[in-house]
Amino acid sequence: MIEIMPIWDYSKKIPLYVQLYEYIKNEIQIGTIKPETKLPSKRKLASYLGISQNTIQTAYDQLCAEGYVESKPRIGIFVKRLEDKLLYSLPPIYKSDENINLKDNFDYLIDFCPRDVDLNNFPHSIWRRLTTQCLYSDQSSVLVTGEPQGEECLREEISKYLFQSRSVRCVPEQIIIGAGTQYLLVLLCMLLGKEYTYAMENPGYNRVRNVFKDQGIDVDPISIDEDGICLEDLRKSSARVVYITPSHQFPYGMIMPVSRRLELLKWCEEKDCYIIEDDYDSEFRYKVKPIPSLQGLDSNGNVIYMGTFSKSLIPSIRISYLVLPSKLVGKYQESFKVYKQTVSRFHQDTLYRFMKEGYWERHIYKMRTLYRKKHGILLSAIDKYMKEKVEIIGEKSGLHILLKVKNGMTEEELIKSAHKMKIKIYPTSIYYAECVSSEFPLILLGFGGLTELQIEEGIQILKKAWFI
């Protein structure tokens, strides 16, 4: 009898038949068990390994189903001959868990994550009550598939809010709700067409760039200056669609002035192009009053407006939205309403009630006040502990800043030295279309999810990591 000696691992709670099947499969793949070899009978192998015959039979059945072995009636089970090139190209069955790095499990003391928001001040009790009302007021409707564009009542509330807060002019029929910015961008790529070149700010949001490239779209990186995307470079581009973050450029944080916005709209009109305006965190301003959205200034229907509740409410709710120009609504209605809604109708209804009953405006006011205070503490701490050794960029709005560090370290060295002190900070190099080198690297610091004490302590520790 050939030697079959799997090492049972009881700690992972993997059934024995699976462990046996994977062991034999691996032995066949690496050539230890040769083609035409007869496998032991289930009775003999069960006795040899001290396990049940049913376990052996189940493992053999799986190997037969996948074509590694074949059962010959009244003779036995034999290993099949596989094409060598195909066989040796198969990935190995067993890999060390250390080689699989799916998540950073390091226990950080403080994490300056730019995506985090303050969850301690989320109105849990109100949200819970509205969720309950949603469930019991009309139990049947929220449990079935709703409108492809999103619930009309929520779209109505979003249109009212956008007009009041951002001067966005739209009706509910122009709004499409979807589960996150990336999903909506994929929908937009199909709606606008993939044959065009798209442009975006450089540096710019890397997840958006990845969406465009994954959709097979050529992307022109356009440089930025102190007012946002550079119009001179954009005019030289062949792009017919441009993605921008004018109200809080990501990651630099500058706010595009009205003069640049009007120039951009003029370019768009002359070239018959589209602008995708991502207003991802427009609710939070600290030193200037909000500038009306590009969409609100557009009189030709060339601006597609995007917004999200991830920054202003909670990231996990996954509710974002598009505002299409009128001339694109018909095309969407004709060709894309076959795509079902990706946001839970249950969450949509709860958010509708949250906005309708006035809780949304109160929540935004409360969070704006809270983030303004945290923002001030962050800037004060940097001034207190680092002074002229660093330069702050993009401090007028949003939930993150950039820190230009002048100590001779590279971006990687800054991150590693912070890591040693259990502080997590974030690079900016990933937001460039190509690798860049700079005398003074930039580090991204988010503060939304941190307490006031954590912000002060984190900056104090970074001073020790970088300057002592």
Side-chain angles (χ1 to χ4, degrees):
M1 184 173 73
I2 62 170
E3 185 174 340
I4 295 181
M5 281 294 295
I7 299 174
W8 306 124
D9 187 344
Y10 296 97
S11 64
K12 295 183 178 179
K13 298 181 181 179
I14 299 175
L16 294 184
Y17 83 86
V18 173
Q19 295 187 47
L20 178 59
Y21 142 76
E22 289 185 340
Y23 171 83
I24 297 175
K25 179 179 176 180
N26 186 60
E27 294 294 288
I28 293 172
Q29 287 184 0
I30 64 177
T32 304
I33 300 179
K34 306 295 183 183
E36 310 299 335
T37 300
K38 182 180 180 181
L39 297 183
S41 69
K42 62 181 181 181
R43 180 180 59 80
K44 289 183 178 179
L45 188 57
S47 176
Y48 181 66
L49 297 178
I51 58 178
S52 72
Q53 292 187 37
N54 286 339
T55 299
I56 307 295
Q57 184 66 54
T58 305
Y60 280 0
D61 287 345
Q62 185 62 34
L63 290 166
C64 283
E66 294 187 16
Y68 285 94
V69 301
E70 62 178 336
S71 178
K72 298 181 179 180
R74 294 185 296 277
I75 300 177
I77 295 177
F78 294 82
V79 176
K80 294 180 70 174
R81 183 173 295 279
L82 303 177
E83 176 64 40
D84 288 347
K85 290 182 180 179
L86 294 176
L87 180 63
Y88 296 132
S89 67
L90 291 171
I93 296 294
Y94 296 106
K95 288 186 178 180
S96 169
D97 290 341
E98 295 176 359
N99 294 330
I100 303 175
N101 184 20
L102 298 179
K103 186 178 180 180
D104 184 358
N105 291 316
F106 186 78
D107 185 19
Y108 288 99
L109 179 65
I110 296 169
D111 185 350
F112 284 94
C113 181
R115 298 180 298 276
D116 287 351
V117 300
D118 192 317
L119 299 178
N120 293 327
N121 285 277
F122 178 73
H124 293 88
S125 59
I126 294 173
W127 191 264
R128 188 183 305 114
R129 176 170 57 79
L130 295 176
T131 300
T132 303
Q133 289 179 9
C134 166
L135 182 61
Y136 288 103
S137 62
D138 191 351
Q139 296 182 43
S140 59
S141 66
V142 296
L143 302 180
V144 296
T145 304
E147 288 290 322
Q149 284 186 233
E151 296 306 292
E152 185 175 3
C153 58
L154 177 57
R155 288 186 281 124
E156 177 71 38
E157 290 302 317
I158 291 174
S159 67
K160 292 177 184 176
Y161 166 71
L162 289 178
F163 180 73
Q164 294 169 358
S165 65
R166 303 294 297 120
S167 300
V168 171
R169 296 167 296 170
C170 66
V171 293
E173 288 72 24
Q174 293 175 255
I175 297 175
I176 300 173
I177 293 170
T181 298
Q182 288 176 302
Y183 164 77
L184 289 174
L185 281 172
V186 171
L187 190 63
L188 264 185
C189 290
M190 294 188 290
L191 185 62
L192 297 175
K194 303 178 183 181
E195 65 274 16
Y196 302 121
T197 297
Y198 286 39
M200 65 178 293
E201 302 150 322
N202 187 38
Y205 194 28
N206 60 327
R207 294 174 188 263
V208 169
R209 185 181 295 109
N210 290 341
V211 168
F212 292 152
K213 290 186 176 180
D214 289 345
Q215 293 300 307
I217 292 171
D218 292 330
V219 180
D220 272 357
I222 308 297
S223 61
I224 60 174
D225 57 25
E226 65 275 6
D227 289 335
I229 194 166
C230 182
L231 262 295
E232 183 178 349
D233 289 349
L234 184 59
R235 289 190 181 101
K236 295 176 183 177
S237 168
S238 60
R240 297 291 303 278
V241 179
V242 58
Y243 167 91
I244 57 172
T245 51
S247 294
H248 185 223
Q249 199 281 332
F250 189 92
Y252 265 72
M254 71 275 291
I255 299 170
M256 185 181 289
V258 170
S259 57
R260 178 65 58 87
R261 294 178 186 231
L262 294 175
E263 289 181 58
L264 188 57
L265 288 170
K266 184 178 179 182
W267 166 84
C268 193
E269 181 183 359
E270 292 172 351
K271 298 290 186 179
D272 190 24
C273 302
Y274 284 105
I275 297 170
I276 302 174
E277 177 185 13
D278 190 346
D279 222 11
Y280 66 99
D281 68 352
S282 60
E283 289 85 5
F284 306 120
R285 297 285 175 271
Y286 309 122
K287 295 189 177 181
V288 293
K289 292 183 179 180
I291 295 176
S293 66
L294 264 171
Q295 197 271 3
L297 298 172
D298 176 31
S299 58
N300 296 293
N302 293 325
V303 177
I304 301 162
Y305 182 89
M306 300 189 74
T308 180
F309 290 93
S310 292
K311 289 283 189 182
S312 52
L313 198 58
I314 47 175
S316 64
I317 197 172
R318 305 304 296 151
I319 297 182
S320 298
Y321 51 88
L322 288 174
V323 178
L324 294 178
S326 299
K327 56 188 175 183
L328 287 178
V329 173
K331 185 176 180 181
Y332 169 81
Q333 295 280 353
E334 181 181 345
S335 303
F336 296 96
K337 286 197 76 172
V338 294
Y339 290 89
K340 291 190 175 182
Q341 177 54 232
T342 53
V343 177
S344 161
R345 196 172 182 184
F346 195 61
H347 286 157
Q348 289 186 66
D349 192 81
T350 304
L351 180 56
Y352 154 70
R353 295 169 188 270
F354 192 74
M355 298 180 78
K356 180 72 173 178
E357 297 181 24
Y359 297 114
W360 167 251
E361 290 187 5
R362 276 174 267 174
H363 177 70
I364 287 297
Y365 179 81
K366 176 182 177 181
M367 299 311 293
R368 187 182 293 122
T369 302
L370 176 65
Y371 289 142
R372 182 181 288 111
K373 186 176 181 182
K374 289 186 179 185
H375 177 265
I377 290 172
L378 176 63
L379 299 188
S380 296
I382 292 172
D383 181 63
K384 178 180 178 181
Y385 296 110
M386 299 183 182
K387 297 187 181 296
E388 71 282 350
K389 298 174 183 177
V390 298
E391 180 184 339
I392 299 171
I393 298 172
E395 75 279 10
K396 293 181 179 179
S397 61
L399 300 182
H400 76 267
I401 63 164
L402 295 187
L403 204 62
K404 182 182 287 187
V405 184
K406 305 173 183 180
N407 67 351
M409 288 183 176
T410 64
E411 179 185 81
E412 183 179 3
E413 288 170 341
L414 290 170
I415 293 172
K416 285 184 177 180
S417 59
H419 175 87
K420 290 178 182 178
M421 305 289 282
K422 292 190 173 185
I423 304 296
K424 189 168 186 179
I425 58 175
Y426 293 80
T428 57
S429 58
I430 61 174
Y431 302 119
Y432 285 86
E434 298 177 351
C435 295
V436 294
S437 59
S438 173
E439 180 183 3
F440 301 122
L442 294 169
I443 293 299
L444 194 151
L445 297 179
F447 58 88
L450 298 177
T451 65
E452 296 168 15
L453 289 176
Q454 286 176 322
I455 292 171
E456 176 105 14
E457 182 182 0
I459 297 302
Q460 191 172 1
I461 295 174
L462 285 177
K463 177 198 173 184
K464 295 178 181 177
W466 291 343
F467 300 110
I468 294 180

